[in-house]
Amino acid sequence: MPDFSLSPEQESLRDLARKFARTEMTPHAAECDRAARFPEEIYRKAYDLGLMNLNVPTEFGGSGLSLLDQCLIVEELAHGCAGMTTSIIANCLALEPILLGGTSEQKERFLAPFCREYHLASFCLTEPSGGSDAGALRTRARKDGDGYVLDGEKCFITNAPHASLYTVFATVDPALRHKGVAAFVVPRSAPGVLPGKDEEKMGHRASSTSTVRFEEVRVPESDRLGPEVDGFSLAMRTLDQTRTPIGALATGIAQAALDHAAAYSLKRQTFGKAIAEHQAIQIKLANMAQAVHAARLLTWHAAWAIDHGARGTLESSIAKCFASDAALHVADEAIQTFGGYGYMKEYPVEKLLRDAKLTQIYEGANEIQRTVIARELLRAYA
Ligand code: CAA
């Protein structure tokens, strides 16, 4: 029988994240959203509490949490602010290729400093020309003596201006498509690493997103992750791990939208009674609750499957895709429940809709998730 109960340790992790979100994130969420402020003091507090680098094993000083544990935390943080959560968990995405493809020496060298003190890292895969087509990279990795020279531009890179380290995917020959992709670790201090200015975004405005240019950046061979031809697989295996927490993040947004809508419906009076007493609103809330519950269960299932050794390609895409679609829908219904007030920035629900939108796009647009799901599904019938 599946067991959905959480252990006492998991309950306390969830409580810790919930308390942090409610006391440190929620009170600043509207202001950071309005001003597009990157609240680094909050990220440092998250680090101090062990709420960053969640996937790094304890032997390197990380939290060493299971994916399910990570999802419990991420959902709670996202309830407070999705943008802040994106910035808090970006290290997990950036460091995952090192965990999956690094040697013991590389893991010790690159991961341990992250767990000794607060640092940010960025995952540099997406490019302006290729977008979702991750096999079509143009950033070149030219072999040069005992290393490589990287040249090219990445875009939509979370935390890039604040990061001290980048995991970078580049091609030794674009004609080889995915078979030419190699992965590298590049410190911010390397000459030629040029993060761009913050993009002005619709949502996730407490997070920072920019381009990064690599201009003739020298990288020693010792900083390449895995065999030269392994970069694409490493990127895909990384995303197999990290898409499930995006499902959790989307679930957190959806839960917040439901909480706001339900609480408001009990206070707001129309036609002589609380709108919660109108069936139209009850049906809305019931549908929202179903979507939140299903998103959470799919996310927990994907995390559980990966924790139990599954590759997780199918499960993580299902969780990410469903939960992000659910988040957008639930946030939309929360606005509808608030009526005209929901459209006003004075109330918290319009932010949730803007934040939910990105979860349908980043870490693989939902059209890509559906492509992945269909491919995995059809494999079983071939
Ligand atoms: N694990 C391991 N290997 C995999 C894999 C996986 N999950 N998926 C594919 N591969 C392998 C295939 O087996 C194949 O290997 P062989 O050549 O040995 O047969 C190879 O990779 C190529 O696979 P495909 O033919 O499936 O490749 P494709 O070009 O058709 O593309 C894709 C596949 C799934 C569409 C991929 O391009 C993709 O995932 N795109 C989306 C990229 C993405 O998610 N970007 C988000 C960036 S991160 C971000 O948003 C972060 C942020 O900062 C917020």
Side-chain angles (χ1 to χ4, degrees):
M1 270 292 279
D3 180 0
F4 294 105
S5 58
L6 299 179
S7 68
E9 292 75 20
Q10 288 172 322
E11 294 280 7
S12 61
L13 273 177
R14 191 160 71 165
D15 288 348
L16 175 76
R18 181 171 297 175
K19 187 159 173 251
F20 181 77
R22 307 286 158 102
T23 58
E24 303 289 346
M25 296 169 75
T26 307
H28 304 283
E31 175 257 313
C32 291
D33 175 61
R34 226 176 358 258
R37 185 171 78 79
F38 186 78
E40 200 145 19
E41 73 286 357
I42 295 177
Y43 305 148
R44 285 179 185 277
K45 281 185 193 164
Y47 171 83
D48 289 340
L49 277 177
L51 297 173
M52 274 172 83
N53 308 321
L54 302 173
N55 54 347
V56 178
T58 46
E59 60 183 299
F60 303 111
S63 307
L65 297 175
S66 70
L67 201 54
L68 181 56
D69 295 344
Q70 294 176 43
C71 286
L72 297 174
I73 291 174
V74 171
E75 183 188 325
E76 292 304 327
L77 297 182
H79 192 288
C81 178
M84 293 180 199
T85 307
T86 288
S87 275
I88 289 171
I89 65 171
N91 277 9
C92 296
L93 173 63
L95 300 180
E96 189 68 36
I98 303 173
L99 288 166
L100 292 173
T103 61
S104 313
E105 182 277 326
Q106 287 174 323
K107 287 181 193 171
E108 182 59 44
R109 187 154 53 93
F110 295 126
L111 300 177
F114 272 78
C115 301
R116 275 199 295 272
E117 60 183 70
Y118 169 87
H119 286 290
L120 296 177
S122 296
F123 178 80
C124 300
L125 175 66
T126 307
E127 298 189 351
S129 58
S132 293
D133 187 359
L137 299 185
R138 298 263 174 87
T139 297
R140 293 297 294 261
R142 202 175 69 244
K143 195 88 180 88
D144 184 57
D146 62 351
Y148 295 82
V149 175
L150 302 190
D151 216 6
E153 187 175 34
K154 300 289 178 177
C155 64
F156 309 139
I157 306 303
T158 301
N159 289 350
H162 307 269
S164 61
L165 183 135
Y166 303 91
T167 40
V168 184
F169 297 84
T171 177
V172 295
D173 179 359
L176 295 175
R177 283 199 42 99
H178 70 272
K179 289 188 189 336
V181 177
F184 302 92
V185 180
V186 180
R188 168 75 177 87
S189 55
V193 177
L194 304 168
K197 65 174 181 48
D198 269 337
E199 303 284 0
E200 186 69 42
K201 300 194 298 296
M202 170 184 176
H204 291 242
R205 289 167 57 80
S207 172
S208 160
T209 308
S210 79
T211 55
V212 189
R213 275 205 63 72
F214 297 92
E215 282 184 5
E216 298 285 309
V217 177
R218 298 194 69 80
V219 184
E221 197 165 325
S222 56
D223 291 358
R224 192 190 68 218
L225 296 169
E228 194 177 78
V229 295
D230 218 26
F232 188 81
S233 152
L234 198 50
M236 294 299 110
R237 287 184 286 133
T238 295
L239 293 164
D240 284 346
Q241 296 290 319
T242 57
R243 283 175 179 156
T244 305
I246 299 301
L249 189 151
T251 306
I253 297 174
Q255 181 68 60
L258 174 60
D259 290 348
H260 286 303
Y264 183 79
S265 73
L266 290 167
K267 282 190 286 184
R268 170 83 170 131
Q269 303 263 332
T270 62
F271 302 100
K273 55 186 175 185
I275 61 170
E277 290 179 46
H278 299 311
Q279 250 184 14
I281 298 297
Q282 290 176 1
I283 290 167
K284 231 181 245 317
L285 293 174
N287 288 340
M288 291 160 78
Q290 290 176 61
V292 173
H293 199 57
R296 181 175 298 118
L297 289 182
L298 284 172
T299 300
W300 282 20
H301 175 260
W304 174 88
I306 293 171
D307 286 338
H308 284 78
R311 182 168 112 166
T313 307
L314 175 69
E315 295 85 350
S316 60
S317 282
I318 290 177
K320 189 272 188 194
C321 188
F322 184 92
S324 55
D325 285 350
L328 192 81
H329 176 65
V330 173
D332 188 23
E333 287 293 78
I335 293 175
Q336 196 68 18
T337 306
F338 274 68
Y341 294 112
Y343 201 67
M344 302 298 148
K345 284 193 182 287
E346 191 187 340
Y347 290 85
V349 282
E350 60 81 36
K351 171 182 184 292
L352 298 175
L353 185 85
R354 291 185 283 108
D355 286 347
K357 185 63 211 170
L358 185 59
T359 64
Q360 292 184 312
I361 298 172
Y362 70 0
E363 297 222 14
N366 280 2
E367 290 73 13
I368 294 292
Q369 307 309 328
R370 289 185 167 88
T371 303
V372 171
I373 293 164
R375 282 184 190 178
E376 293 292 310
L377 182 78
L378 292 170
R379 214 193 302 281
Y381 291 88

